[in-house]
Amino acid sequence: MALDMGRLVSEMTQWRRHLHANPEFGFEEKRTSAFVASKLREFGLDEVVEGVGGTGVVATLRRGSGNRSIALRADMDALRIPEQGSRPYKSRNEGVMHACGHDGHTAMLLGAARLLAEESGFDGTVRFIFQPAEEWGRGALAMIDDGIMQRFPFDEIYGIHNMPGLPVGHFQTRSGAIMSAEDNFEIVLRGIGGHAARPHSGNEVLVAACALVTSLQTIVSRRLNPTDIGVVSVTELITDGTRNALPGLARILGDARSFRPEVSAEIEKQMRIIAEGTALMYNIAAEVIYTREFVPLLNDPALAEEAFAAAADVFEPGSIEVRQEPMTGSEDFARFLDYVPGCFVFLGNGQDSPPLHNPNYDFNDDGLIHGARLHAAIVRRRLAGNAPIRP
Ligand SMILES: [Zn+2]
Ligand SMILES: [Zn+2]
């Protein structure tokens, strides 16, 4: 039976605005996941399991006799950003805001679940994954650690993110690298602080820290192969000095991005060499703490082609674009791709949309129907009776 699309659009818009007004930070998505689970039960899905990886929800829909399984993933968490503006569904959770459009991603995946539960049109199993804590890169890993791959196995996975700057009704993806790895670093410099009038009687760390910040800029410009993409950004320099006392401790914090593990490894190696060299030069001690928060997101080439083919059922021919360059943003969807192939795609949020993570950002409700239909089109294409394991 065909679902009334006008009704689905107004329902998804209501859900999206409800979620927007009630944002929850990563691993605190209790009311969000309860809302999601209650909707999924209402739609009559075969199995709805809450509490996967903390606050995650996984629902299953089976049709026909096919033994293949496709996963569709949305993220549910919001950010600690105070929302600006006066929209009627403005955040009621002070200081927390859906500034990345995960409210929209959740609503469109609920829409797809309703659409596929009602209309079917596929043969096999669909897993609807609503994951927590994408923003701090922990939610997908939490679900994996909780056994999602064994408890709810699937052969392929797809995810959608909205994209400010891209017109509504436009679709973009690419084969291979699409989102970067994110590494964090902290360099601690230890010396001997003291009186500002007597620098020679100690080993203060601020001049060394400033030299180190400058030297770190040479990792990308002088140490990486120019054909590789890398970003090293120092974002904080904190010392224990005061106006008339030289610091004995400095902490330099920052963030590095790359698209290949070899590049990430090279950035860390060069950072350690430069930190140790600088410490030696200034007769202080340096400690480097380097962590990998997000892995690079690599779309499977064959499944990217399948996503383009599914998009052709949803978008106008001139609205389907091959993304030329990867983005130096990160996504923990990439963690699932360590286990199964998949594809991550972008959906237009409008040319006038404020950027993601901006206090004036809002998900564009006109995109909801495209997202729901795209999820459904991917399922119908990949679970069309005898779809081969690899296209
Ligand atoms: Zn985000
Ligand atoms: Zn996001």
Side-chain angles (χ1 to χ4, degrees):
M1 197 188 88
L3 189 64
D4 179 341
M5 283 297 163
R7 219 183 111 202
L8 184 64
V9 167
S10 74
E11 282 179 342
M12 282 193 292
T13 305
Q14 278 174 32
W15 303 335
R16 207 284 294 180
R17 293 181 178 195
H18 168 78
L19 294 167
H20 190 92
N22 299 283
E24 293 173 298
F25 192 66
F27 291 130
E28 294 169 7
E29 307 95 331
K30 290 200 170 62
R31 288 188 303 160
T32 303
S33 57
F35 176 82
V36 163
S38 80
K39 288 292 163 203
L40 293 166
R41 290 193 180 104
E42 203 178 286
F43 307 154
L45 269 76
D46 297 306
E47 195 185 4
V48 179
V49 180
E50 292 176 74
V52 182
T55 40
V57 180
V58 181
T60 301
L61 184 63
R62 291 189 187 87
R63 292 289 185 269
S65 55
N67 57 5
R68 301 197 60 240
S69 175
I70 299 292
L72 305 172
R73 172 274 204 179
D75 37 15
M76 300 187 291
D77 57 322
L79 287 146
R80 290 206 205 283
I81 294 175
E83 182 168 0
Q84 288 178 12
S86 57
R87 48 188 73 93
Y89 49 89
K90 188 176 177 178
S91 170
R92 291 181 210 136
N93 185 0
E94 186 72 36
V96 180
M97 171 193 180
H98 269 298
C100 204
H102 299 181
D103 49 349
H105 305 163
T106 300
M108 65 171 73
L109 187 55
L110 284 174
R114 177 139 159 60
L115 189 65
L116 288 166
E118 209 132 325
E119 291 186 352
S120 183
F122 65 94
D123 180 21
T125 301
V126 186
R127 309 284 191 193
F128 298 89
I129 300 175
F130 294 85
Q131 78 149 76
E134 189 285 322
E135 293 289 355
W136 43 306
R138 292 287 182 270
L141 276 179
M143 294 187 99
I144 290 165
D145 289 347
D146 203 6
I148 187 172
M149 309 306 299
Q150 297 76 36
R151 293 163 66 195
F152 313 97
F154 48 87
D155 302 307
E156 301 168 9
I157 186 164
Y158 298 83
I160 302 177
H161 206 295
N162 76 95
M163 181 59 66
L166 188 66
V168 174
H170 279 234
F171 168 93
Q172 259 188 359
T173 192
R174 76 195 300 273
S175 173
I178 188 162
M179 305 279 290
S180 73
E182 181 186 348
D183 304 339
N184 287 168
F185 59 87
E186 177 174 355
I187 305 175
V188 183
L189 300 180
R190 290 190 179 85
I192 303 167
H195 202 293
R198 297 181 54 77
H200 61 289
S201 60
N203 265 325
E204 69 89 13
V205 293
L206 186 54
V207 172
C210 292
L212 182 51
V213 169
T214 306
S215 300
L216 291 173
Q217 309 311 311
T218 64
I219 295 176
V220 172
S221 66
R222 304 288 86 176
R223 291 293 153 219
L224 293 189
N225 185 325
T227 59
D228 276 324
I229 300 172
V231 181
V232 176
S233 289
V234 174
T235 53
E236 290 169 83
L237 169 53
I238 303 156
T239 78
D240 65 351
T242 59
R243 192 183 58 80
N244 57 3
L246 292 161
L249 180 84
R251 293 167 58 226
I252 296 167
L253 292 97
D255 175 296
R257 309 279 169 137
S258 57
F259 293 97
R260 295 198 303 124
E262 295 81 3
V263 175
S264 166
E266 188 63 20
I267 291 172
E268 178 181 0
K269 182 182 151 198
Q270 295 299 333
M271 188 171 288
R272 291 186 184 282
I273 291 171
I274 291 170
E276 282 164 26
T278 305
L280 192 66
M281 187 157 78
Y282 289 89
N283 193 27
I284 55 172
E287 181 192 357
V288 178
I289 302 145
Y290 197 95
T291 57
R292 292 188 169 76
E293 306 298 318
F294 288 85
V295 293
L297 201 168
L298 307 175
N299 279 340
D300 182 88
L303 297 189
E305 284 309 312
E306 289 293 291
F308 277 116
D313 292 340
V314 176
F315 301 92
E316 300 294 323
S319 311
I320 298 173
E321 300 168 19
V322 177
R323 188 174 173 92
Q324 295 303 319
E325 290 172 348
M327 256 184 90
T328 54
S330 302
E331 246 293 339
D332 85 348
F333 177 84
R335 297 288 181 183
F336 294 113
L337 303 184
D338 285 343
Y339 299 86
V340 292
C343 184
F344 195 68
V345 309
F346 298 130
L347 191 65
N349 200 54
Q351 283 163 299
D352 302 331
S353 168
L356 299 172
H357 296 200
N358 179 289
N360 288 302
Y361 169 87
D362 191 23
F363 184 90
N364 191 324
D365 290 320
D366 294 341
L368 289 168
I369 189 65
H370 302 295
R373 289 185 61 212
L374 179 63
H375 277 308
I378 289 169
V379 167
R380 286 168 177 163
R381 184 174 174 83
R382 298 300 297 147
L383 297 180
N386 298 317
I389 298 292
R390 306 292 286 173

